[in-house]
Amino acid sequence: MTNHTIRLGDWATLGPDATAIRFEVFVDEQKVPAEIELDAMDAACLHAVAYDGAGNAIGTGRLLPDGHIGRMAVRLPGRGTGVGGAILQLLMEKARERGDLAVVLNAQTVAAPFYARHGFVQLGEQFEEAGIAHVEMRLQFA
């Protein structure tokens, strides 16, 4: 586990750091078209950005008004350090605090085991989004 800090905020505050992470992971690494990476929902979401001990933005995720968690991304140096799980847990906590009964996300199939370890259950069949295989996953709060 590396030393990291997670900041929560709106798009105006955290957008520049979140955008840099998302473009590096989704557009550069995974070849998601740049024009679909950012969307109108960013302005309505609660964003989380994790920073390493040196203050570098290393991970991000967002919580939509409808209880979806999305755009979870961790830069290569931060992977396997627990930072993605910490972001996910914080977004889940914020959803629960505001009264959401569940959180839902579209996980890349390669990341589905990560979400399953955090209590998410797969719903339905695999589908393709931005040319990448995904599954819908849900976590019901007790």
Side-chain angles (χ1 to χ4, degrees):
M1 186 87 164
T2 57
N3 174 27
H4 62 264
T5 309
I6 301 174
R7 288 179 51 203
L8 291 171
D10 61 14
W11 188 242
T13 307
L14 296 177
D17 287 338
T19 298
I21 296 164
R22 285 162 49 176
F23 268 69
E24 185 176 309
V25 173
F26 297 130
V27 178
D28 298 343
E29 280 183 41
Q30 299 180 353
K31 308 303 180 212
V32 170
E35 57 274 12
I36 68 168
E37 180 36 46
L38 304 179
D39 63 25
M41 290 309 300
D42 277 322
C45 291
L46 174 66
H47 294 270
V49 175
Y51 298 88
D52 65 15
N56 301 306
I58 55 168
T60 190
R62 71 181 189 179
L63 176 63
L64 285 81
D66 68 359
H68 273 77
I69 290 175
R71 300 303 201 273
M72 289 280 301
V74 175
R75 286 184 160 141
L76 204 51
R79 292 181 198 157
T81 66
V83 71
I87 292 169
L88 180 62
Q89 289 293 330
L90 185 57
L91 292 174
M92 288 163 53
E93 183 182 310
K94 292 299 167 188
R96 187 186 282 120
E97 282 175 10
R98 72 179 185 191
D100 292 0
L101 301 177
V103 281
V104 180
L105 52 81
N106 291 339
Q108 293 184 9
T109 53
V110 294
F114 163 79
Y115 294 108
R117 286 194 299 275
H118 289 275
F120 283 79
V121 176
Q122 181 176 330
L123 305 173
E125 298 299 312
Q126 181 175 308
F127 61 95
E128 200 170 284
E129 191 171 45
I132 299 167
H134 283 72
V135 289
E136 185 179 5
M137 300 186 81
R138 183 172 204 266
L139 183 142
Q140 182 78 39
F141 295 129

